[in-house]
């Protein structure tokens, strides 16, 4: 045990600058010094304590037990509960101070009212309760984050992409998701996290396209702001979970080298720190450009590419996924009708026009347009005049039959073929098509076969 030594003058210097209840006794139990508030807990003034023996004060019932005899006997720090004449309880601590011969010359004791400690204890319980609430809220939001999404996968290419994602979700292997803005890369990353071994951990997004290079590393690895306080970066916050590095193709070559070093060594060092921290996260990246081509063009670091591109998954744009567009239109129409407490329908003409648009903004743009249509349309049926001007097509662009030089039967066949093609895009089965068109299912099958052969012969 470490031994403390006091010189005669140091006792006075300590006591005169102390605002707590501190008393100094000698090895005979005589009170030598006391702070100005000492004695208040016993109903006395500090001056009344000077020169008194703690043994005598204990006999008089001023307090019990006296801590000095306990410290002198055991020659170590003693903490005990002391009772006063008024019946209050005090938590008192006595500490021995030794001379150069190793004997106890002085005992310094300081005390706190137990009621004050109970207040602190209650405060700590409140903090623990609030922390428990925050943790529960975080868990609730995390669960909600990964259960609120719905996945529309009608097209074969989308089904294959999600199938690959689910197959490797349980493997702690890096994945790169390729696709244009709004094709669902974040959605598929969240789905992989939900089905991984790290599903109970955090899912942290880090967007390389929006974070300025000047603060990139600080946000990524954190920094030490003082000798004892370290501001955590997002890699630390993602501990035990999934780190989603969005738009990795937008990162500068300078930063790519630093990130490659972190991922290769599986350790990172906060700015200003002399120590490094192990990296325990699963890495998923997204890119809007072909990283292999970027490597050949020296726009992306080869070392980082080979670390990340273990499992590449490509999500095609909506213009190449007509089945998904059809399903998403119906899904968003139903979703926003429920959200705004209305019942909206859409004419086939509007539906057909929406199918023919390119949707450069992909799912985000389609979602935005359907929400606008639900909110701004006046009646229950959304018609072509409800479409925003930039999304309207001239009639000639979606009506491929003409009246000039054709007989009525030919024109009717053209109309019937166009209606069947529209229904085929909009509905999943021939049974559903038959119900909507008011004909039998065998008739739908027969007509589809007829017009398919007609189109092949044209």
């Amino acid at each position: 045990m470490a031994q403390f030594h006091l010189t005669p003058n140091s006792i006075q210097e300590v006591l005169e600058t102390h605002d707590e209840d501190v008393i100094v006794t000698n090895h005979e139990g005589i009170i030598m010094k006391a702070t100005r508030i000492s004695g208040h807990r016993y109903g006395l003034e500090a001056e009344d304590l000077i020169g008194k023996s703690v043994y005598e004060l204990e006999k008089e019932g001023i307090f019990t037990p006296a801590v000095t005899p306990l410290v002198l006997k055991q020659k170590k720090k003693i903490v005990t509960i002391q009772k006063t004449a008024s019946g209050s309880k005090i938590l008192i601590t006595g500490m021995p101070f030794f001379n150069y011969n190793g004997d106890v010359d002085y005992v310094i004791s300081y005390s706190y009212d137990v009621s004050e400690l109970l207040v602190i204890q209650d405060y700590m319980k409140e903090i623990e309760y609030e922390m428990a609430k925050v943790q529960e809220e975080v868990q609730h939001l995390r669960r909600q984050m990964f259960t609120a999404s719905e996945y529309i996968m009608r097209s074969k290419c989308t089904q294959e992409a999600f199938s690959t994602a689910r197959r490797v979700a349980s493997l702690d292997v890096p994945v790169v998701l390729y696709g244009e803005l709004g094709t669902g890369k974040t959605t598929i990353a969240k789905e992989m996290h939900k089905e991984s071994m790290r599903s109970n951990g955090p899912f942290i997004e880090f967007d390389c396209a929006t974070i300025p290079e000047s603060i990139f590393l600080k946000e990524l690895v954190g920094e030490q702001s003082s000798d004892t306080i370290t501001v955590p970066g997002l890699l630390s916050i993602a501990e035990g979970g999934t780190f989603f590095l969005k738009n990795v193709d937008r990162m500068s070559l300078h930063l790519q080298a630093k990130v490659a070093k972190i991922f290769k060594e599986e350790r990172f060092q906060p700015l200003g720190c002399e120590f490094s921290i192990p990296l325990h996260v699963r890495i998923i990246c997204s890119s809007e450009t072909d990283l292999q081509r970027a490597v050949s063009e020296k726009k992306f670091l080869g070392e980082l590419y080979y670390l990340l591109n273990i499992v590449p998954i490509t999500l095609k744009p909506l213009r190449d996924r007509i089945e998904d567009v059809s399903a998403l239109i119906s899904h968003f129409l139903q979703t926003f009708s429920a959200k705004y407490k209305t019942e909206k329908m859409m004419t086939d003409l509007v539906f057909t026009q929406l199918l023919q648009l390119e949707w450069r903004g992909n799912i985000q743009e389609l979602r935005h347009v359907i929400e606008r249509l639900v909110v701004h349309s006046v009646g229950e049926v959304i018609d072509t005049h409800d479409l925003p001007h930039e999304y309207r097509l001239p009639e000639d662009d979606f009506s491929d039959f003409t009246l000039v030089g054709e007989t009525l039967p030919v024109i009717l066949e053209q109309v019937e073929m166009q209606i069947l093609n529209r229904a085929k895009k909009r509905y999943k089965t021939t049974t559903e098509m038959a119900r909507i068109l008011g004909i039998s299912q065998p008739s739908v099958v027969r007509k589809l076969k007829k017009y398919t052969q007609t189109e092949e012969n044209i």
Side-chain angles (χ1 to χ4, degrees), residues 23 53 72 86 111 198 204 238 310 320 364 373 397 438 452 457:
I23 294 176
S53 167
L72 290 172
S86 63
S111 62
R198 300 177 179 269
I204 301 299
I310 306 300
D320 297 333
Q364 293 177 4
L373 290 174
D397 286 353
T452 301
N457 294 329

Side-chain angles (χ1 to χ4, degrees), residues 221-232 268-277:
V221 303
E223 68 174 343
Q224 182 172 310
S225 58
S226 68
D227 292 337
T228 57
I229 300 176
T230 299
V231 179
F268 62 95
Q269 188 170 342
L271 301 179
C273 287
E274 296 181 356
F275 58 86
S276 62
I277 301 173

Side-chain angles (χ1 to χ4, degrees), residues 171-176 282-285 307-312:
L171 306 177
D172 236 8
V173 60
V175 175
V176 179
R282 198 267 181 86
I283 304 296
I284 300 178
C285 300
L307 286 169
L308 299 178
N309 200 66
I310 306 300
V311 179

